[in-house]
């Protein structure tokens, strides 16, 4: 068993085949959650899971659970997973790697005729990205009981389509109920530069930054771009622009991995010769310390009040996502570190700047993550890239850590399908 390794080629080929669904001209993926392309990705994963001898179920928010029985049905399952949805201009690996790595672990066990004591489940969580529907981490948040299901089902995208309607359209509104989880492992590309720059193959993830997301509405007044004197304008876009600078300043002036991003903006009426009367934009604040995150929000709020007065507008900030910095389970984190060590892989402890479904799973079960490098640390970009070798190394670590947790049944069972 110590010699057991995943099949690098099979993992890579599966990732490449999946990446054809929603492929973009620059080599990335556009597979927004709960769209027709997402359905195709889900269908492919479900087919592969069934071919690997698993049963597939989905719950009311569309989370997909592929289950491989263990020898002891009394034990709660050990979960591996991530997400199949992507950013509008995303890459081939963000999320997809964690799901395909879980599938590869099962295929490897099948080929070796090994059964675990605890059941295994490979999971794909709905709407991890949070770009079509807010909140981010929707499926894992629902599973962990963070959100009320009805609230989530009523969320609407920019075109007014609700989560409920989108789920029904693609046929993934299911009935599976939340169930106990023995442990959760998520493999993911790092999405930052630390591993690559330090020449390290495996990131042993300690936890993730806390986040606060806001929908901000600036209300001014539409007026004519010519006759309206500068000193009386109620220019919502001018105020929004100043807020963008403040978000950046607040993040750069705070410690603890503080981050601040405005990534989306809508200007009304969006005409060249009209002083804009309304602007809506998003704010994404992050930090490794909850108190720092609060201080950032407070400071941004203060600056908003000053900008309101100076620009003669109203600024309303509505919080739409909040989770404090998370810490993963030391014993599981230790098993990831031990697995990397046993495999002779260069590894280091790391903090995740990105959100992951592991953040919410950590509230209900021991949780850990495995990171592998991505080229230039670039992600949420079509050019996102990772090597077959690094992806395989992360999957080997996942396999060992999962076996350590799930246990190996004494009598090996012959498996028919690879
Ligand atoms: C998830 O992709 C995030 O925003 O960190
Ligand atoms: Mn991801
Ligand atoms: Mn992402």
């Amino acid at each position: 068993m110590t010699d057991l390794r995943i099949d690098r080629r099979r993992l890579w080929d599966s990732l490449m085949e999946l990446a054809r669904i929603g492929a973009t001209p620059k080599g990335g993926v556009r597979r927004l959650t709960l769209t027709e392309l997402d359905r195709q990705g889900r269908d492919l994963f479900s087919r592969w899971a069934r071919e690997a001898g698993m049963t597939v179920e989905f719950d009311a928010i569309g989370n997909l659970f592929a289950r491989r029985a263990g020898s002891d049905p009394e034990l709660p399952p050990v979960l591996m997973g991530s997400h199949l949805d992507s950013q509008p201009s995303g890459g081939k690996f963000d999320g997809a790697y964690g799901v395909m790595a879980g599938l590869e672990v099962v295929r490897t066990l099948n080929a070796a005729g090994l059964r675990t004591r605890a059941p295994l489940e490979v999971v794909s969580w709905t709407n991890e990205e949070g770009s079509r529907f807010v909140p981010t981490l929707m499926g894992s948040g629902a599973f962990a009981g963070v959100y009320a299901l009805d609230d989530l089902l009523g969320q609407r995208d920019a075109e007014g389509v609700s989560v409920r309607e989108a789920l029904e359209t693609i046929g993934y509104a299911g009935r599976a109920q939340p169930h106990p989880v023995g442990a959760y492992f998520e493999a993911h590309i790092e999405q930052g530069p630390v591993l690559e720059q330090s020449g390290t193959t495996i990131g042993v993830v300690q936890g993730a930054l806390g986040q606060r997301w806001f929908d901000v509405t600036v209300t001014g007044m539409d007026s004519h771009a010519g006759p309206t004197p500068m000193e009386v304008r109620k220019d919502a876009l001018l105020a929004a622009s100043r807020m963008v600078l403040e978000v950046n300043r607040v993040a750069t002036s705070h410690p603890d991995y503080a981050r601040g991003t405005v990534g989306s903006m809508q200007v009304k009426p969006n005409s060249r010769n009209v002083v804009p009367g309304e602007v809506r934009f998003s704010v994404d604040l992050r930090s490794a310390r909850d108190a720092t995150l609060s201080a950032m929000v407070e400071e941004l709020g203060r600056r908003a009040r000053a900008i309101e007065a100076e620009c003669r507008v109203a600024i309303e900030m509505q919080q739409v996502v909040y989770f404090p910095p998370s810490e993963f389970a030391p014993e599981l984190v230790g098993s990831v570190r031990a697995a990397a060590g046993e495999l002779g892989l260069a590894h280091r402890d790391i903090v995740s700047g990105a959100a992951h479904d592991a953040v919410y799973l950590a509230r209900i079960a021991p949780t850990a993550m495995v990171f592998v490098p991505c080229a230039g640390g670039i992600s949420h970009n079509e050019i996102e890239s990772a090597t077959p070798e690094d992806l395989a190394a992360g999957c080997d670590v996942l396999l060992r850590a999962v076996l350590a947790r799930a246990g190996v049944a004494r009598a090996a069972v012959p498996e028919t399908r690879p």
Side-chain angles (χ1 to χ4, degrees), residues 290-309:
D290 206 30
T292 302
L293 207 45
S294 302
M296 291 164 71
V297 172
E298 213 173 285
E299 193 169 324
L300 193 60
R302 268 203 311 278
R303 290 305 305 148
R305 299 289 80 81
I307 292 168
E308 276 183 318

Side-chain angles (χ1 to χ4, degrees), residues 83 85-87 94-95 128-129 188 191 354-356 379-380 384:
H83 57 99
D85 66 320
S86 84
Q87 288 287 330
D94 176 1
E128 188 274 351
E129 295 290 7
H188 209 283
Q191 309 186 277
H356 296 290
S379 183
H380 284 187
E384 180 185 272

Side-chain angles (χ1 to χ4, degrees), residues 223-230 233 273-275:
S223 60
H224 199 298
T228 316
M230 300 307 283
R233 292 177 178 210
N273 49 356
V274 181
V275 176

Side-chain angles (χ1 to χ4, degrees), residues 152-175:
L152 296 179
L153 293 173
Q155 289 293 98
R156 291 183 185 276
D157 70 5
E159 271 74 51
V161 178
S162 72
V163 169
R164 182 183 275 107
E165 291 157 357
L167 276 165
E168 280 165 6
T169 303
I170 67 165
Y172 273 96
R175 297 223 183 97

